[in-house]
Amino acid sequence: GENVEQHPSTLSVQEGDSAVIKCTYSDSASNYFPWYKQELGKGPQLIIDIRSNVGEKKDQRIAVTLNKTAKHFSLHITETQPEDSAVYFCAAGRQLTFGSGTQLTVLP
Amino acid sequence: GAVVSQHPSWVICKSGTSVKIECRSLDFQATTMFWYRQFPKQSLMLMATSNEGSKATYEQGVEKDKFLINHASLTLSTLTVTSAHPEDSSFYICSARRAWGAGETQYFGPGTRLLVL
């Protein structure tokens, strides 16, 4: 089955700086890679996703890149704001396998 | 955007009782719904996959007689925790898969926090 590894587990950045979270996956057949943001006590919220037919996708301050050859994908958040503080999960595959999560803290 | 609701948002019950959690896709039809369990500071653990009109598929280690899943319509799935015990206390989250032109996308509900006393 699919195995997803996510790094780092915690990330602290200053407000306005960029944050990058990386994930690797094992199943070369996977072709769908979403990213979810989870705030304390709430369900995961889809923030961006990418399919294997593209290498990069951007939505305002958030971007995701995908390298199918190396089997890794990354989340990039620019101009971070305190409200970006949350746990971020990557996932891969049609039946989603989740990474272990990254606690992002944006310091004002 | 696609909306998935869960009810109740939290529940406290006595040990030995059964608890039912509802998951609804509000603005789309979901042929497949998923149930996850999440412990504090951990990732989401898939419990079962539910397809409308058929029996749920449970992940290894998940007791199907303990966690009853019914997917009666394209917009509603229910999870019943039977004879709940304190170790069943957790955050339960449902998810619904939406099919659209370019592919499929999975949306999550807000979660249900269960505390068994």
Side-chain angles (χ1 to χ4, degrees):
Chain A
E2 178 68 272
N3 182 47
V4 177
E5 295 191 359
Q6 182 172 347
H7 299 281
S9 56
T10 61
L11 178 61
S12 292
V13 299
Q14 289 293 138
E15 183 178 358
D17 287 350
S18 295
V20 180
I21 303 171
K22 299 181 178 182
C23 288
T24 60
Y25 62 99
S26 61
D27 187 354
S28 56
S30 289
N31 58 9
Y32 178 58
F33 309 91
W35 285 89
Y36 293 88
K37 174 184 180 182
Q38 186 177 28
E39 297 176 338
L40 192 62
K42 298 183 179 181
Q45 175 191 7
L46 178 70
I47 56 171
I48 196 167
D49 58 7
I50 192 168
R51 299 180 197 275
S52 59
N53 57 344
V54 297
E56 183 175 359
K57 183 177 179 180
K58 190 173 181 180
D59 183 4
Q60 299 183 336
R61 297 186 296 109
I62 295 173
V64 56
T65 58
L66 172 65
N67 184 327
K68 285 226 72 179
T69 303
K71 289 191 280 190
H72 67 69
F73 56 113
S74 301
L75 176 71
H76 304 253
I77 306 174
T78 59
E79 300 172 28
T80 54
Q81 301 166 3
E83 50 265 38
D84 294 329
S85 297
V87 178
Y88 291 81
F89 290 100
C90 64
R94 184 170 188 259
Q95 180 154 306
L96 298 180
T97 299
F98 283 86
S100 54
T102 297
Q103 173 69 62
L104 173 65
T105 302
V106 180
L107 305 169
Chain B
V3 179
V4 177
S5 70
Q6 266 183 259
H7 179 80
S9 56
W10 59 270
V11 57
I12 301 173
C13 68
K14 292 183 178 180
S15 185
T17 60
S18 293
V19 175
K20 180 186 281 189
I21 302 170
E22 290 189 350
C23 176
R24 295 180 184 273
S25 55
L26 297 184
D27 53 357
F28 66 98
Q29 293 184 330
T31 54
T32 305
M33 288 185 168
F34 306 86
W35 287 95
Y36 294 82
R37 184 173 181 177
Q38 187 178 36
F39 292 106
K41 298 188 183 299
Q42 293 189 21
S43 189
L44 289 80
M45 182 186 76
L46 179 64
M47 299 175 65
T49 301
S50 162
N51 289 295
E52 186 264 337
S54 61
K55 290 184 179 180
T57 302
Y58 291 82
E59 295 299 301
Q60 191 172 8
V62 178
E63 301 176 58
K64 61 180 181 180
D65 295 330
K66 173 87 175 159
F67 299 98
L68 300 179
I69 292 172
N70 185 298
H71 193 160
S73 76
L74 289 173
T75 60
L76 174 63
S77 177
T78 60
L79 168 68
T80 301
V81 183
T82 62
S83 187
H85 292 283
E87 57 266 29
D88 298 323
S89 298
S90 190
F91 192 47
Y92 293 87
I93 313 172
C94 75
S95 176
R97 180 188 283 159
R98 178 184 185 183
W100 52 288
E104 299 173 323
T105 303
Q106 198 165 319
Y107 297 93
F108 285 82
T112 297
R113 190 162 301 281
L114 170 64
L115 177 60
V116 184
L117 302 176

